Amino acid sequence: MTIESSASPLIFGGAQSPRAALPVLPPLALYIHIPWCVRKCPYCDFNSHTASPVLPEQEYVDALLADLDQDLHAVYGRELSSIFFGGGTPSLFSAEALGRLLKGVEQRIAFASDIEITLEANPGTFEQEKFRAYRALGINRLSIGIQSFQEEKLKVLGRIHNGDEAVRAAGMARQAGFDNFNLDLMHGLPDQTLDDALSDLRQAIALKPTHLSWYQLTLEPNTVFWNQPPTLPEDDALWDIQEAGQALLAEHGYAQYEVSAYAQPGRPARHNLNYWSFGDFIGIGAGAHGKLSHPDGRIVRTWKTRLPKDYLNPAKSFKAGEKALTNEELPFEFLMNALRLTEGVEARLYPERTGMPLESLAEGRREAEQSGLLQVEPSRLAATMRGQLFLNDLLQTFLT
């Protein structure tokens, strides 16, 4: 959507800023958080909670739509380019509940004709039986949490499915009409060898997903693994796994387009591309985060009440907080997303989506280029291969 405005430049810290109104608002996406899981995994630091025998589907869908109503002021006539159901395990919800939710969303915000709607799912048989019903709702992409196909690794990770169920899940997704699906797979697992990691990857490739999220297990605070750390492979072994795995994926036509994302031609996740190119997204649901641009130049990050019981409490607000990004924060905020992409982004997106002139990055660009971390490419902002390996060092050059 194009916006015309004569708003004055914003003022921060007592000095006039060159940041101005946004002439074009970014694409708009919707993230819907469903926070319940059958069981919390020991490595997981997401906002997920063990489900009770009966989920409050009706109440939660009502809350989600009421939450969305409060963010409609930031739509500004845009269509939704993508929807992502994340969790938790969204596929614990019935097709009936998700259908009512999608209908309510579309009544409030128009869907793009080619909208991508992704649902995270697990390989358990109970969830697979719902795949066909989900597809009938217009959900056109699945993201299936495999993590490993090996029994001993799944047990250590606390997963509730087995390797056979993981294999069957991909087949059932295809039979249900999903010609676009992602498999989530981890490497660097406890006591994992190079052969173990490549065996998992070969099995995943054999299932012919259109997209693979292949990422290293890390120990995060506030998890069981953080407090009781398992034995993970040494750095040299991790490097060998990374190199061999990337070569194997490339050999089979999966191009790396982000730090841990690989896709067949034309099949990158559009929802995530929107995140990484500093697009806008409304976040609804317990603990959901959003990022919303306004025609006057304000860019606001929002976050919602975290605990499901509080989110469902009518006496409490859905929104837990919000923060308008300052000029000093914008370069880092934009680049920490854009530089995750292996090809980066067109340089013109920086002024279009921040309201800041490209020249405001000049000093950091020079330093990063001289350090061999940023490509010398005037029309693009893209990390070198070295910059992708040392992304934190690259981002540090843009901190003011």
Side-chain angles (χ1 to χ4, degrees), residues 133-144:
Y134 292 146
R135 185 67 189 90
L137 297 176
I139 294 169
N140 51 24
R141 185 174 182 272
L142 288 181
S143 182
I144 306 173

Side-chain angles (χ1 to χ4, degrees), residues 57-95:
E57 288 188 338
Q58 169 123 358
E59 297 90 337
Y60 197 70
V61 169
D62 289 342
L64 288 168
L65 292 174
D67 186 358
L68 179 59
D69 284 337
Q70 296 185 6
D71 283 334
L72 291 180
H73 68 280
V75 173
Y76 298 109
R78 289 175 288 180
E79 295 179 326
L80 281 179
S81 60
S82 65
I83 298 173
F84 194 100
F85 289 91
T89 307
S91 53
L92 291 179
F93 266 37
S94 68

Side-chain angles (χ1 to χ4, degrees), residues 204-256:
I205 291 169
L207 298 175
K208 298 186 178 353
T210 50
H211 190 285
L212 272 163
S213 297
W214 188 60
Y215 52 95
Q216 183 181 323
L217 171 65
T218 56
L219 305 185
E220 303 291 348
N222 303 315
T223 65
V224 172
F225 274 4
W226 180 264
N227 295 314
Q228 303 170 29
T231 302
L232 300 182
E234 299 289 339
D235 286 347
D236 287 348
L238 291 171
W239 180 250
D240 290 343
I241 290 171
Q242 184 77 30
E243 281 198 315
Q246 287 178 326
L248 182 64
L249 286 161
E251 177 187 339
H252 288 273
Y254 290 90
Q256 183 181 16

Side-chain angles (χ1 to χ4, degrees), residues 156-217:
V156 169
L157 292 173
R159 304 297 289 173
I160 61 172
H161 66 271
N162 59 41
D164 289 341
E165 287 177 321
V167 171
R168 286 199 299 271
M172 292 186 74
R174 193 172 280 109
Q175 289 169 17
F178 288 96
D179 62 355
N180 189 15
F181 65 92
N182 168 67
L183 298 182
D184 260 5
L185 201 64
M186 284 185 177
H187 61 87
L189 304 180
D191 300 313
Q192 188 178 50
T193 65
L194 174 60
D195 286 344
D196 289 338
L198 293 183
S199 174
D200 267 349
L201 204 48
R202 288 190 185 98
Q203 176 63 82
I205 291 169
L207 298 175
K208 298 186 178 353
T210 50
H211 190 285
L212 272 163
S213 297
W214 188 60
Y215 52 95
Q216 183 181 323
L217 171 65

Side-chain angles (χ1 to χ4, degrees), residues 364-379:
R365 289 183 83 174
R366 278 194 298 272
E367 182 181 342
E369 289 169 357
Q370 290 168 2
S371 302
L373 299 174
L374 193 71
Q375 293 182 23
V376 182
E377 179 64 50
S379 65

Side-chain angles (χ1 to χ4, degrees), residues 284-297:
I284 59 173
H289 285 243
K291 175 251 171 186
L292 295 167
S293 304
H294 298 271
D296 62 6

